Amino acid sequence: MLEVVASLIRGPVFLAGETINCEVTFTNTSPDNNSGDEVLAWSSVQIICQCTVSESRVMLPRKNALSTEEVSTSGCETSFVPNRGERGLTVLCTKPKILFCDLKLSPGMKRSYQFEEVIPTDAPPSFRGQAVKYSYKVIVGTQRLEKTTKIVRVPFRVLVLYGLNDISVYNENEEISPSNPFLHNHRKENSVLDVALQVISTVTARKAPHSYNITNARGRVAKFLLFKQAYKLGEDIVGMFDFSVGTVTCVQYSVTLQSEEQVSEECRRRLSQGTAVTSYVKHQEMCLHTVRTHMNIPIPLTATPGFMTDIVCQRWRLHFEFVTSLDEISGPDSLPNDGGERQWQGPSTLNVETMVWDLPIKIFPTNPIHASSVTLMKTTASIQMNN
């Protein structure tokens, strides 16, 4: 009996442009030395990205209409079709790399091989939306002589930083210096990850705060201060509300982190089709008679940063809702001189109205090692090849 194990060495999350490393181990698990050698004809590895769509929302152009199900049924089971059994459209398929030909393993013997492949910088990110889904897998195919081909699939996640391919990565004269002056930098060239993290850090660095006056037809509700508009996965979005400048009484407010998934016009099932909105984190607070307060919204490491492909575009926003009173609400009287407490009884009913506001923000990838710490993806997959 043969066992094939494929394992991602660093983790299941990568940045487009990085080199993915996968170790593939073949083991003859037969305990009996008299069972004879096991012989494998060949083994090949490659990366694929599958795109599946909601048929009620997306209509792919005719040039992209060929599905993998149609492809997979055109060959025999002894050929290596990496997307056999996969749903949807194959939007990325790297060239197969042969690990070996004619491998002989004695009982208890194992052999390991290293697979390396660069993830294209123009590849789509991993994404699970309401209309479109992009998913990546490392595909390991192997075959006994004149037997059916067996496939091992290891899923992984891809983050994309757009414009990274326009940066000179391997320029020895433009080395990224270490932030610690007491450390020596022995690197002769910058890796894709080094450059990407430097770009992300620069883009998402805290700059001048942005101030917004929130008003409705009856006057000024509040002033909102956002410390920056570009974030990376895992960061907190921090903002401050100042109600002391308001002329309209605000009773309650909420802020929700939302993504907008918009299908391109040529791929929409209906021309009037709207944008799909997904909510992630919500901050809600009662603010009657509040002078100043703040909100703190964490960006999930599992979310997908903003991106655009031929089929879909995703953007991010903060969705605000303000509940304002149409009537004047008197506040509590001044505190007694003896320093004691006084209870204030609010009105039993309020005549209110709700106003909404959407503020666009930008979300970028983070260090893929950090994103790997919260993923539920397994880094190892295996199959048993019986006689």
Side-chain angles (χ1 to χ4, degrees), residues 81-365:
V81 182
N83 52 15
R84 176 183 288 127
E86 298 283 348
R87 295 181 58 236
L89 176 74
T90 302
V91 294
L92 172 67
C93 188
T94 62
K95 292 182 179 180
K97 293 188 177 181
I98 303 298
L99 296 181
F100 62 80
C101 291
D102 193 19
L103 175 65
K104 183 182 294 185
L105 294 174
S106 303
M109 183 180 177
K110 69 168 58 177
R111 288 288 300 273
S112 296
Y113 298 86
Q114 299 293 326
F115 165 74
E116 292 185 354
E117 185 63 81
V118 176
I119 304 171
T121 54
D122 57 352
S126 298
F127 178 62
R128 184 186 293 271
Q130 298 184 36
V132 180
K133 174 185 175 183
Y134 291 103
S135 58
Y136 283 83
K137 293 182 178 71
V138 173
I139 306 295
V140 181
T142 189
Q143 181 190 21
R144 281 193 176 98
L145 190 63
E146 298 182 352
K147 300 291 185 179
T148 59
T149 301
K150 300 294 184 180
I151 294 179
V152 181
R153 299 177 175 88
V154 187
F156 64 97
R157 180 187 176 193
V158 173
L159 301 173
V160 176
L161 178 61
Y162 290 96
L164 188 60
N165 54 348
D166 298 329
I167 302 173
S168 178
V169 176
Y170 298 103
N171 189 342
E172 296 183 6
N173 297 325
E174 297 180 4
E175 224 173 320
I176 296 177
S177 301
S179 58
N180 190 334
F182 298 100
L183 295 178
H184 294 285
N185 188 5
H186 299 289
R187 293 175 300 178
K188 294 184 179 180
E189 55 186 32
N190 299 325
S191 69
V192 171
L193 185 58
D194 289 332
V195 175
L197 295 181
Q198 180 83 355
V199 171
I200 293 171
S201 177
T202 302
V203 172
T204 60
R206 181 172 176 176
K207 299 179 175 64
H210 301 265
S211 179
Y212 304 90
N213 289 318
I214 303 167
T215 62
N216 61 15
R218 295 184 293 111
R220 194 174 186 181
V221 177
K223 181 179 180 181
F224 177 64
L225 192 67
L226 188 65
F227 297 105
K228 61 179 183 176
Q229 289 184 311
Y231 303 86
K232 59 186 175 182
L233 297 179
E235 273 194 298
D236 289 345
I237 303 173
V238 180
M240 186 181 72
F241 292 93
D242 184 359
F243 294 100
S244 65
V245 299
T247 59
V248 178
T249 302
C250 186
V251 179
Q252 176 183 289
Y253 77 89
S254 67
V255 187
T256 308
L257 177 64
Q258 295 180 336
S259 64
E260 300 175 290
E261 179 187 356
Q262 186 174 27
V263 179
S264 62
E265 291 185 2
E266 64 174 0
C267 295
R268 292 177 188 173
R269 182 65 66 176
R270 301 178 305 277
L271 294 178
S272 59
Q273 185 171 304
T275 301
V277 177
T278 302
S279 298
Y280 290 82
V281 183
K282 183 176 183 178
H283 176 95
Q284 183 171 301
E285 187 174 335
M286 301 296 296
C287 58
L288 181 61
H289 300 143
T290 298
V291 177
R292 292 180 184 87
T293 186
H294 76 282
M295 63 102 182
N296 190 315
I297 295 181
I299 304 173
L301 283 168
T302 55
T304 302
F307 72 95
M308 178 182 293
T309 66
D310 294 338
I311 303 175
V312 69
C313 171
Q314 168 158 285
R315 298 183 179 91
W316 287 89
R317 72 185 188 187
L318 293 175
H319 178 72
F320 295 79
E321 294 186 7
F322 297 92
V323 179
T324 59
S325 175
L326 297 175
D327 304 322
E328 188 69 25
I329 304 176
S330 59
D333 298 331
S334 59
L335 293 175
N337 296 330
D338 58 4
E341 294 182 356
R342 180 172 294 175
Q343 186 176 8
W344 175 74
Q345 183 67 42
S348 57
T349 59
L350 287 176
N351 187 17
V352 298
E353 66 178 3
T354 301
M355 60 176 292
V356 298
W357 173 48
D358 293 322
L359 175 62
I361 60 171
K362 294 182 179 180
I363 295 181
F364 293 89

Side-chain angles (χ1 to χ4, degrees), residues 45-87:
V45 190
Q46 62 191 115
I47 294 173
I48 67 170
C49 176
Q50 294 295 118
C51 173
T52 56
V53 300
S54 170
E55 295 183 358
S56 63
R57 296 172 180 263
V58 180
M59 180 177 60
L60 293 177
R62 185 171 296 275
K63 62 180 180 179
N64 295 331
L66 184 62
S67 69
T68 58
E69 294 176 358
E70 294 169 339
V71 173
S72 63
T73 56
S74 61
C76 62
E77 293 185 354
T78 57
S79 61
F80 179 40
V81 182
N83 52 15
R84 176 183 288 127
E86 298 283 348
R87 295 181 58 236

